Amino acid sequence: MTRHTTVEQAGEAGTIAAIRSAAPSSINGDDAAVLDSTASNSRQVCSTDILVRGRHFRFRYSSPFEVGVKAVSQNFADIQAMGGRPTALLLAIATPGDMELETISELARGIHSAAAPFGAELVGGDVVRSKDLVISLTALGELGGPAAALTLDGAGVGHQVIATGPIGYSAAGLCILEHFGSRKSVPQDDHILQKLVSWHCAPELEPGRGTVARAAGASSMTDNSDGLVADLSVIAQRSGVSIDLNPEALAPDDMLLHAAERTGGDPWEWVLTGGEDHTLVGTTDSRLPANYRPIGMVRRLADDDPNAAFVTVGGEKPAYTKGWQSL
């Protein structure tokens, strides 16, 4: 097939063949994938997300390869937030017939590249015709051993609030793209802006973050997908507590301050409500897990105040609380 072959020209079989070539797996190709359990006393974990072109990604900002990486990151972050280890992926694509097959192939290549550090593979899926590009990715994972999963309702009064990974970088990258109008317009010689844009388009996950936290005795966990205040509010509400964040621990770093100076954005808004960093945040009453840092404390919820905030910053209501809404 030529470089500019379309999905319609390739047909379903040709499109699936292009995906399998870009993301090879010996398991993929039958009616269903059969996965071996790699740990004794293990439980399966699964998560799924949908990305719609124009709402969750734009090709003037992101390459198809980066969209594939981002799709994996947001799914694998959910598996890690349970304390699990990602093992496999299923991909469903609804695509216009005139979409170039190379775009689908590059998307699959991004998925394959992002899954490889976890020892995971794309093992199956489906392709259908539609008016616009919609990507649905399902992640499978394992919880090994008898320890409980890291759920949203495990935070307790006196626990530390912990995080691993950057907070606010993805939102800063989006602000930079919107400020300059396109990926090509972002100054190539400004390495900080380029790094933040890359983090928004293709956030990087560190394998093992969730299993490390679970092994160290973390009590609850989620990933920063909808915004720090929004996601921690869910933990606080589900656990019947309040969370007070340390403003010094969350203070925007030099990269965020530089981006704010170039774009006029508010770095505190990026930190508190940006989301899509897929940083793991949670609570623990045990030792600090490796590569995690403390960012706050779990407090008692004021039962006598119906307007009490579930999340505060330095004891005060946050300046920003909105977060990302999918609908």
Side-chain angles (χ1 to χ4, degrees), residues 8-304:
E8 183 174 14
Q9 291 168 336
E12 181 180 5
T15 301
I16 292 173
I19 292 171
R20 291 186 62 196
S21 176
S25 170
S26 60
I27 299 174
N28 194 354
D30 213 313
D31 291 323
V34 179
L35 308 180
D36 293 327
S37 178
T38 59
S40 60
N41 192 25
S42 66
R43 288 157 284 169
Q44 288 289 319
V45 190
C46 58
S47 177
T48 190
D49 274 301
I50 294 175
L51 290 87
V52 179
R53 183 170 66 171
R55 177 156 181 81
H56 301 98
F57 66 91
R58 297 173 178 86
F59 283 142
R60 75 173 186 272
Y61 291 169
S62 306
S63 69
F65 180 92
E66 289 174 323
V67 173
V69 172
K70 188 170 189 173
V72 173
S73 294
Q74 64 187 46
N75 273 276
F76 277 8
D78 288 335
I79 299 294
Q80 291 197 101
M82 303 302 295
R85 182 182 70 84
T87 56
L89 290 157
L90 298 170
L91 171 66
I93 296 180
T95 176
D98 61 359
M99 178 73 65
E100 287 193 0
L101 192 61
E102 185 178 8
T103 298
I104 304 300
S105 180
E106 279 297 291
L107 174 72
R109 195 170 68 85
I111 291 171
H112 182 71
S113 176
F118 294 84
E121 294 179 342
L122 178 61
V123 299
D126 194 18
V127 177
V128 298
R129 187 86 63 85
S130 73
K131 291 182 179 180
D132 208 343
L133 182 61
V134 179
I135 302 159
S136 177
L137 199 63
T138 297
L140 305 176
E142 288 182 339
L143 277 172
L150 299 178
T151 56
L152 296 166
D153 57 1
V157 176
H159 292 191
Q160 282 193 102
V161 183
I162 58 175
T164 178
I167 298 175
Y169 279 24
S170 179
L174 177 59
C175 182
I176 292 164
L177 288 167
E178 291 176 338
H179 177 78
F180 288 99
S182 70
R183 187 72 170 272
K184 292 181 179 180
S185 299
V186 179
Q188 296 296 312
D189 60 350
D190 193 321
H191 301 300
I192 291 177
L193 297 188
Q194 290 292 334
K195 182 174 182 179
L196 292 172
V197 165
S198 293
W199 191 269
H200 170 73
C201 295
E204 301 173 8
L205 298 187
E206 180 183 345
R209 296 183 308 167
T211 53
V212 164
R214 180 167 170 255
S219 53
S220 68
M221 188 149 286
T222 189
D223 75 297
N224 179 24
S225 57
D226 297 331
L228 185 64
V229 172
D231 290 320
L232 286 178
S233 290
V234 175
I235 287 182
Q237 188 170 14
R238 293 279 293 272
S239 301
V241 298
S242 68
I243 288 176
D244 185 41
L245 298 172
N246 180 353
E248 293 183 1
L250 293 176
D253 64 16
D254 290 342
M255 290 180 59
L256 294 182
L257 294 175
H258 174 77
E261 184 178 350
R262 293 297 305 268
T263 64
D266 186 340
W268 275 106
E269 183 175 10
W270 300 335
V271 168
L272 295 177
T273 68
E276 292 199 333
D277 288 311
H278 302 297
T279 289
L280 294 187
V281 292
T283 61
T284 183
D285 64 348
S286 187
R287 68 185 186 276
L288 197 66
N291 296 324
Y292 281 75
R293 61 189 185 277
I295 62 170
M297 292 293 296
V298 181
R299 309 292 188 190
R300 192 175 304 279
L301 186 64
D303 295 330
D304 57 344

